[in-house]
Amino acid sequence: MFKIVKKKILNPQVKLMEISAPHVAKKAEPGQFIILRVNENGERIPLTIADFDRTKGTVTIIFQEVGKTTKALGALEEGDELLDFVGPLGKASHFENVKKAAVIGGGLGTAIAYPQAKKLHSMGVEVHSIAGFRNKDLIILEDEMKAVSDKLFITTDDGSNGNKGFVSDVLKNLIEEGNKYDLVIAIGPLIMMKVISNLTKPYGIKTIVSMNPVMIDGTGMCGGCRVTVGGETKFACVDGPDFDGHQVDFDEAMRRQTMYKKEETLSMEKHNCRLGVEKNA
Amino acid sequence: MPNMSMKKVPMPEQDPNVRNKNFLEVALGYTEQMAMEEAQRCLNCKHKPCVDGCPVNVKIPEFIQLIAQGKFEEAYNKIKETNNLPAICGRVCPQETQCEKFCVRGIKGESVAIGRLERFAADWHMKNGTASHDKPKKNGKRVAVIGSGPASLTCASDLAKLGYEVTIFEAFHVPGGVLMYGIPEFRLPKKLVQDEIDTIKQLGVEIKTNMVIGKVFSIDELKEEGYDAIFIGSGAGLPSFMKIPGENLNGVYSANEFLTRINLMKAYDFPNCDTPVKVGKNVAVVGGGNVAMDAARSAKRLGAENVYIVYRRSEAEMPARLEEIHHAKEEGILLKLLTNPTRILGTDDGWVKGIECVEMELGEPDASGRRRPVVKEGSEHVLDVETVIIAIGQTPNPLITSTTPGLDTKWGGIIADENTGATSIEGVYAGGDAVTGAATVILAMGAGKKSAKAIDEYLKSKK
């Protein structure tokens, strides 16, 4: 069992939890993920490692409540325990010969971009971070990102924080202003990573994206998480989750992500209806 | 007087048209009377050819004589002297190519039903037995076992019996390996696998789940943690795909994914269990082994109307057990033999709508002795299906080998001595599918047993 030692609500849908998992914390690196199971009939879901503390033996996860499992997870409190928590899984991110980088987070993707920015910053890289949200109430990790960035741009789709626009607009401006990036890291919804990859391609800027396909085991034994990269089939759980954004078949990935839409809705409805029953009882 | 009937006492089974709609066990097992009657068919031969056919050398005539005398618990204990997982072996071993192949009664009629009798003894014990084993006296040495499938469970329990302090490291949230995620409930009930694993825990074996070796610990780090020897039984869990167009369409599964969702995550009970699985009205399973049969029969149970086994050779070459092919046919699975898929066709929005195949003819025998299939000109045709399950084999997962410098491999499998399981690293042994590639439960158990013996000898020689 894995104890929740800290819980923090970042915005109405996004929660942060520090989980006591010393073995995972000891080996975790930015770019890696864990798989957890909340309870006995639960499914296994992958979540990226948002931070870790080797001395405290904790791993931080940040998740958005989008379906049954993340809602069940979000309902847990400090002191509660998770049934299963396995990791660190996937390949750690590798940064070499980077002097200046742009790190881009879309919504919840900011939580995954944060450890990458932190790592680059600690290596002495000049980090420009761009984080985009739908509106100002959804902004997360502003202070944390600020602490590890030389420049931070936070945008909202509706302009409610006074800085309207998409992350891609900001990146485009920065590039056109003459910023020479050795690396762009884009993490967020598939469509946003696709747009960023298409934007950087003509400039020849190396672009890394973090894929988030459906996963079961996370150890390479099923291929449920397969993505096409450079025309080849890769398993995101062992070959990734980081890939070269210019090589990824995003359209296929977006299509594969919809595979269980109907079932996800059904599972969620059943969950909500059960919650309703409990409330009325 | 021996029972001279030429045929085995039949084992009751669920009706095919009932069982293809549920996940309950197909074969219902012998009653005490049936078991005693069948046990009397054994001639108790002096040279015991059956024992040599068993990779873990179960004392077959001895336990069968005990069943014949109605001494069921004694029969169970006799089996347990050499076999740690009898309820499992009695169900999933291919007895026709092992113990029963050499049975003298098989020369003129059917062999003695050794598997069914082994299963009977184990089931009888689980229902009626009482004796829990005394924990063996510890000898102060520690062994780490990686993986918790049949090879590892066998190795761990044999070592525990010898007094070693054994820790099993399992990547999944439950132990059992393929017994839990691969072989379906209707062939091997999971409760029973859990019971067998619990008997191994009673020996003092500790099982740590959620531990992916190669990620959380390297082999070297396990040594630093104070393990005197290591056994790698991590299996062959890496699915092969066909590398044909359309394989990444929605609705295409590896058999591993399909079966893991169903068996381990209980997706057949969705939405009571959270993991979903999707099965269309028409399903094609590509391959001809036991995994293909398991996937096809599972798809049928999930409500598919037409389930096709698409296999490029003929029925005679199918690697699946005869019994499983027979069961599949009874349940309405359709065999498309001498048929090979060339591409998977999709709808505009990316879902499977069919599988294009060619017909094959059998040509000259190849290196493996099987006649090589050759494409028949102009035989392209399309099978309309919404789900495709690829069951053409698995290879060893590279997670451990790629993180263990000095561990020699060939074709992805770990190179290990056939008699001891010794690898290129001193004190590190390996066995089962991690060495051979996908094979059978009983061969993995045999390998685990040999390694346990070799590890014991190695550690004794070291002091």
Side-chain angles (χ1 to χ4, degrees):
Chain A
M1 302 288 270
F2 301 85
K3 197 176 216 161
I4 301 166
V5 295
K6 186 176 160 191
K7 177 181 175 180
K8 199 172 153 191
I9 295 167
L10 300 184
N11 79 28
Q13 282 111 48
V14 176
K15 289 174 180 168
L16 172 151
M17 282 180 181
E18 270 181 37
I19 312 291
S20 172
H23 290 306
V24 186
K26 202 175 140 202
K27 284 294 184 74
E29 292 290 345
Q32 290 189 297
F33 67 97
I34 56 92
I35 285 205
L36 65 80
R37 209 162 66 112
V38 176
N39 48 35
E40 191 51 47
N41 286 333
E43 60 182 336
R44 294 167 64 96
I45 62 158
L47 290 172
T48 306
I49 293 169
D51 211 344
F52 49 85
D53 187 325
R54 300 210 204 279
T55 31
K56 269 166 66 190
T58 57
V59 173
T60 303
I61 50 171
I62 297 177
F63 57 94
Q64 187 160 9
E65 295 186 0
V66 288
K68 180 181 174 182
T69 299
T70 43
K71 272 196 189 305
L73 180 61
L76 297 179
E77 300 298 338
E78 284 176 12
D80 289 344
E81 291 182 328
L82 303 178
L83 187 56
D84 298 296
F85 193 86
V86 58
L89 300 169
K91 285 200 173 121
S93 307
H94 277 290
F95 310 119
E96 272 166 19
N97 304 320
V98 181
K99 289 199 182 69
K100 188 168 177 172
V103 179
I104 304 163
L108 181 73
T110 307
I112 310 167
Y114 167 66
Q116 312 268 30
K118 186 176 170 186
K119 172 107 187 182
L120 286 166
H121 184 73
S122 74
M123 291 164 64
V125 175
E126 183 181 349
V127 177
H128 291 180
S129 296
I130 311 166
F133 302 90
R134 282 206 311 279
N135 63 57
K136 71 171 174 16
D137 297 333
L138 300 179
I139 294 172
I140 57 170
L141 300 178
E142 188 171 356
D143 295 340
E144 286 84 350
M145 282 302 266
K146 198 176 271 169
V148 297
S149 309
D150 294 274
K151 279 183 189 167
L152 171 67
F153 304 87
I154 294 194
T155 66
T156 47
D157 297 0
D158 65 357
S160 51
N161 75 332
N163 191 8
K164 188 173 157 71
F166 294 117
V167 287
S168 49
D169 302 332
V170 180
L171 180 66
K172 192 158 196 276
N173 285 338
L174 287 167
I175 293 170
E176 281 173 358
E177 281 168 14
N179 286 290
K180 295 252 179 283
Y181 297 113
D182 307 304
L183 175 70
V184 167
I185 297 177
I187 302 168
L190 286 165
I191 184 70
M192 166 251 172
M193 296 194 286
K194 179 183 173 177
V195 168
I196 296 287
S197 299
N198 286 343
L199 169 68
T200 56
K201 200 167 181 181
Y203 296 101
I205 306 170
K206 185 179 173 189
T207 301
I208 304 247
V209 296
S210 179
M211 300 301 282
N212 49 357
V214 171
M215 281 187 194
I216 312 290
D217 60 290
T219 60
M221 62 157 278
C222 87
C225 67
R226 56 198 191 275
V227 287
T228 302
V229 182
E232 266 181 70
T233 293
K234 300 274 182 191
F235 291 3
C237 71
V238 288
D239 301 316
D242 289 359
F243 291 106
D244 178 348
H246 299 150
Q247 302 286 322
V248 169
D249 184 339
F250 285 104
D251 294 336
E252 179 188 277
M254 283 188 257
R255 187 199 358 106
R256 285 183 65 81
Q257 214 170 39
T258 64
M259 189 149 159
Y260 293 102
K261 238 187 182 124
K262 230 163 66 192
E263 287 76 11
E264 283 159 9
T265 312
L266 181 69
S267 183
M268 174 94 137
E269 278 166 6
K270 190 171 167 277
H271 177 71
N272 288 342
C273 119
R274 205 165 50 206
L275 285 180
V277 169
E278 279 161 16
K279 263 180 207 151
N280 292 337
Chain B
M1 251 313 274
N3 166 2
M4 291 311 290
S5 164
M6 301 292 268
K7 287 195 176 288
K8 292 175 180 176
V9 173
M11 181 157 61
E13 286 179 349
Q14 274 198 76
D15 180 82
N17 272 315
V18 174
R19 71 182 193 233
N20 67 9
K21 292 170 193 68
N22 69 50
F23 276 85
L24 303 174
E25 195 172 14
V26 166
L28 303 172
Y30 279 159
T31 61
E32 292 184 5
Q33 273 68 36
M34 290 172 186
M36 288 170 75
E37 191 188 333
E38 178 63 25
Q40 277 155 20
R41 291 185 65 231
C42 173
L43 302 175
N44 198 9
C45 324
K46 274 215 172 64
H47 64 304
K48 304 176 182 29
C50 51
V51 176
D52 295 329
C54 172
V56 297
N57 302 122
V58 167
K59 295 171 181 167
I60 294 166
E62 293 174 54
F63 96 76
I64 291 183
Q65 294 314 307
L66 289 165
I67 291 181
Q69 296 160 23
K71 297 178 179 166
F72 305 133
E73 185 69 5
E74 286 91 330
Y76 170 76
N77 288 331
K78 185 58 70 184
I79 299 169
K80 284 285 277 192
E81 284 178 20
T82 59
N83 182 350
N84 301 303
L85 306 161
I88 293 163
C89 288
R91 285 171 166 83
V92 303
C93 277
Q95 288 97 7
E96 64 277 11
T97 60
Q98 313 261 8
C99 54
E100 292 183 22
K101 185 179 175 182
F102 302 98
C103 175
V104 170
R105 293 298 304 267
I107 299 169
K108 279 191 175 159
E110 286 184 353
S111 317
V112 174
I114 301 167
R116 293 176 185 178
L117 290 172
E118 180 179 38
R119 167 190 166 147
F120 167 79
D123 290 1
W124 193 92
H125 166 80
M126 281 189 189
K127 227 165 109 195
N128 308 295
T130 46
S132 72
H133 297 276
D134 297 333
K135 274 192 190 171
K137 217 175 133 242
K138 298 261 187 252
N139 66 14
K141 295 210 164 158
R142 299 171 72 204
V143 180
V145 171
I146 302 166
S148 63
S152 296
L153 290 174
T154 302
C155 185
S157 43
D158 275 10
L159 286 168
K161 284 180 190 166
L162 292 167
Y164 292 93
E165 201 175 306
V166 183
T167 309
I168 291 181
F169 294 90
E170 165 59 41
F172 262 133
H173 55 268
V174 294
V178 76
L179 306 172
M180 278 298 192
Y181 75 74
I183 303 174
E185 188 79 25
F186 56 81
R187 279 216 288 142
L188 183 64
K190 302 305 151 222
K191 161 80 172 63
L192 190 148
V193 179
Q194 192 54 57
D195 286 350
E196 291 277 50
I197 290 170
D198 288 343
T199 63
I200 286 170
K201 281 196 202 159
Q202 281 172 17
L203 295 169
V205 173
E206 190 191 0
I207 303 182
K208 293 190 175 192
T209 53
N210 294 315
M211 291 289 224
V212 183
I213 301 303
K215 290 287 179 190
V216 77
F217 286 117
S218 66
I219 297 287
D220 280 344
E221 285 166 328
L222 283 176
K223 285 186 177 168
E224 287 161 22
E225 291 281 312
Y227 292 99
D228 302 294
I230 293 164
F231 176 77
I232 305 173
S234 50
L238 190 74
S240 302
F241 284 91
M242 299 191 73
K243 299 191 193 308
I244 57 173
E247 238 171 354
N248 289 347
L249 287 165
N250 290 8
V252 182
Y253 285 104
S254 73
N256 261 11
E257 178 181 358
F258 188 69
L259 291 171
T260 299
R261 283 177 180 272
I262 294 169
N263 299 322
L264 184 73
M265 307 310 296
K266 305 204 181 333
Y268 59 83
D269 197 18
F270 179 85
N272 291 320
C273 290
D274 294 342
T275 305
V277 68
K278 245 188 157 71
V279 170
K281 218 164 100 180
N282 306 285
V283 177
V285 178
V286 182
N290 287 321
V291 174
M293 299 302 136
D294 287 344
R297 296 172 70 197
S298 297
K300 187 82 184 178
R301 282 162 170 77
L302 289 169
E305 280 174 30
N306 301 302
V307 180
Y308 306 98
I309 295 265
V310 179
Y311 181 57
R312 65 195 184 123
R313 292 180 158 105
S314 72
E315 191 173 332
E317 284 84 15
M318 277 188 151
R321 290 185 68 188
L322 278 179
E323 188 184 317
E324 300 313 326
I325 299 172
H326 173 72
H327 276 147
K329 283 188 190 165
E330 276 186 341
E331 288 166 14
I333 308 297
L334 307 161
L335 302 190
K336 296 281 288 177
L337 301 166
L338 290 162
T339 304
N340 203 30
T342 47
R343 65 185 170 127
I344 302 167
L345 309 170
T347 60
D348 292 339
D349 50 357
W351 290 80
V352 172
K353 68 168 183 185
I355 182 164
E356 189 185 88
C357 302
V358 286
E359 287 175 33
M360 311 294 283
E361 286 172 315
L362 288 184
E364 294 299 309
D366 64 11
S368 75
R370 293 190 298 184
R371 292 173 64 191
R372 213 166 58 86
V374 188
V375 178
K376 231 194 240 180
E377 286 294 321
S379 63
E380 294 83 5
H381 60 283
V382 172
L383 215 52
D384 293 329
V385 295
E386 300 83 38
T387 305
V388 174
I389 302 165
I390 311 286
I392 58 165
Q394 297 98 237
T395 53
N397 192 314
L399 217 52
I400 290 172
T401 50
S402 66
T403 53
T404 311
L407 186 62
D408 293 344
T409 59
K410 189 181 175 189
W411 306 114
I414 298 167
I415 298 176
D417 183 275
E418 208 184 317
N419 295 314
T420 63
T423 68
S424 51
I425 302 177
E426 193 193 314
V428 178
Y429 295 74
D433 288 3
V435 171
T436 57
T440 62
V441 168
I442 188 68
L443 286 175
M445 290 178 52
K449 212 171 186 61
K450 281 179 190 167
S451 284
K453 189 164 169 270
I455 288 171
D456 181 44
E457 282 164 9
Y458 163 69
L459 290 178
K460 276 188 180 140
S461 76
K462 260 183 73 176
K463 47 173 173 195

